[in-house]
Amino acid sequence: MNKEIKIVTTADGSNTLLLPEFDETYHSMEGAFREAIHVFMLYGLEAWLIRNQGVQPIRIFEVGFGTGLNAWLTLVWAEQNKIPVLYHSIEPFPVDKEIYSQLNYTEIDQTIYHFAPYFNRLHEAPWDEGFIASEYFNMKKEKTTLEDAVLYHADVIFYNPFSKKTQAELWDKSILEKVVETMNPNAVLVTPSAENQLRSDLKSLGLEVEILPGPSDKNEMTRARLLV
C-alpha cells in the first residue's frame, strides 16, 4: 500500500498523506491536526478520563499507527497531565522515514513544540517490542494486521483504519467483535466514521453508541462505550 504516497496539506495547515492509487488520505482534508485532537483526544481520551478518574495506567489501543500523529499527541497529553499511558498500536504498512520526517505536526501548535523530538522517536523505535518513549508514555507498535494481531485489554480504542472502500475487512462485524472483546469496563471506542452499518454493528455487540459532531460542521463521528 506504500507504493506511492504524497504529502498534502489539509485545511488547518497540517499535513496528511494521500494514496493516489486508492484516492484515500490518512486524515480528513478538513484538518488532520484538528481531527486528531477532536476525535481521539477530546471525545476519546479526555471523555474516558472524566468518567474514570484515578484509573492508571490508561491502556490505549490504536488501529493504524499511520503518520504517528495520534501517538505523539497522546504522549504529549500523558506528559502534560502526568498520567501514565500504555499505548499499543498496529500498522501493517509503516511510513518510510523519507516521508514522516517531512510532516509538519510538531510545528502546528507552538505551545507543545518542545515535545517535537518525541515525534521522530516514536517512528524510529523498533517494531514488535515495547519501549519507554518518555516518563509517562510506554508504547508497543507492531507491524501486523488487525486480523493477525494479539490484542490486550484496553480502556480507550482509537479506531482509525482507511475507509471501507480501501479496507473493507476492517469494518466487518467479526473484526469489530475481536476489538470489542478487549474493551475494559467503561472503555470507549472512537472513530471518525459515521456509517450507519458501523453503528448498528457496535450496538449489536453490546455497546452504547453515540452520534457526535465531527471536527468540522460538515460531518459526524461515532463513539461507543462498554457500560457496566
Side-chain angles (χ1 to χ4, degrees):
M1 191 176 293
N2 260 5
K3 290 182 179 179
E4 183 183 4
I5 293 182
K6 294 183 178 180
I7 299 175
V8 295
T9 301
T10 66
D12 66 0
S14 62
N15 296 145
T16 191
L17 302 181
L18 169 68
L19 297 172
E21 179 182 356
F22 301 99
D23 190 27
E24 185 95 46
T25 55
Y26 279 54
H27 307 90
S28 167
M29 288 302 296
E30 295 291 329
F33 201 89
R34 180 187 300 132
E35 178 183 63
I37 293 290
H38 181 94
V39 175
F40 301 107
M41 305 309 299
L42 296 180
Y43 280 107
L45 182 53
E46 287 281 0
W48 178 87
L49 184 65
I50 289 172
R51 296 192 177 193
N52 297 275
Q53 293 288 335
V55 178
Q56 297 184 10
I58 303 174
R59 301 175 185 273
I60 299 176
F61 174 53
E62 177 186 38
V63 178
F65 180 75
T67 64
L69 176 57
N70 288 338
W72 179 66
L73 288 174
T74 304
L75 181 150
V76 172
W77 182 93
E79 293 300 313
Q80 289 180 325
N81 290 279
K82 300 187 184 307
I83 296 176
V85 169
L86 302 179
Y87 198 96
H88 179 211
S89 185
I90 60 172
E91 176 57 64
F93 306 104
V95 175
D96 293 336
K97 183 175 182 179
E98 178 185 359
I99 299 295
Y100 72 68
S101 62
Q102 299 181 62
L103 298 174
N104 69 352
Y105 302 134
T106 61
E107 304 167 12
I108 299 300
D109 184 349
Q110 292 299 309
T111 65
I112 58 174
Y113 181 76
H114 54 293
F115 290 104
Y118 289 102
F119 182 76
N120 283 348
R121 188 178 303 178
L122 294 178
H123 276 280
E124 294 166 357
W127 289 87
D128 303 317
E129 58 185 79
F131 66 96
I132 300 173
S134 65
E135 182 177 358
Y136 291 96
F137 189 86
N138 287 14
M139 182 175 187
K140 182 178 184 181
K141 57 178 187 174
E142 296 187 87
K143 187 178 179 181
T144 187
T145 63
L146 182 52
E147 295 94 325
D148 294 334
V150 176
L151 305 185
Y152 309 101
H153 287 288
D155 300 306
V156 182
I157 295 172
F158 296 165
Y159 203 77
N160 198 30
F162 290 115
S163 69
K164 187 176 290 187
K165 71 176 183 179
T166 303
Q167 287 187 312
E169 69 279 6
L170 297 189
W171 300 99
D172 187 84
K173 185 178 178 180
S174 63
I175 286 293
L176 293 172
E177 183 175 15
K178 177 179 180 177
V179 174
V180 169
E181 287 177 349
T182 71
M183 295 174 72
N184 285 330
N186 299 315
V188 299
L189 179 153
V190 284
T191 176
S193 174
E195 288 199 2
N196 290 330
Q197 185 60 53
L198 168 67
R199 293 167 174 171
S200 177
D201 288 342
L202 291 174
K203 286 180 180 178
S204 72
L205 292 171
L207 303 185
E208 178 188 74
V209 177
E210 301 172 89
I211 302 172
L212 300 171
S216 76
D217 57 7
K218 299 178 182 179
N219 57 19
E220 296 176 334
M221 60 165 285
T222 301
R223 180 170 64 200
R225 299 180 185 271
L226 180 62
L227 300 180
V228 293

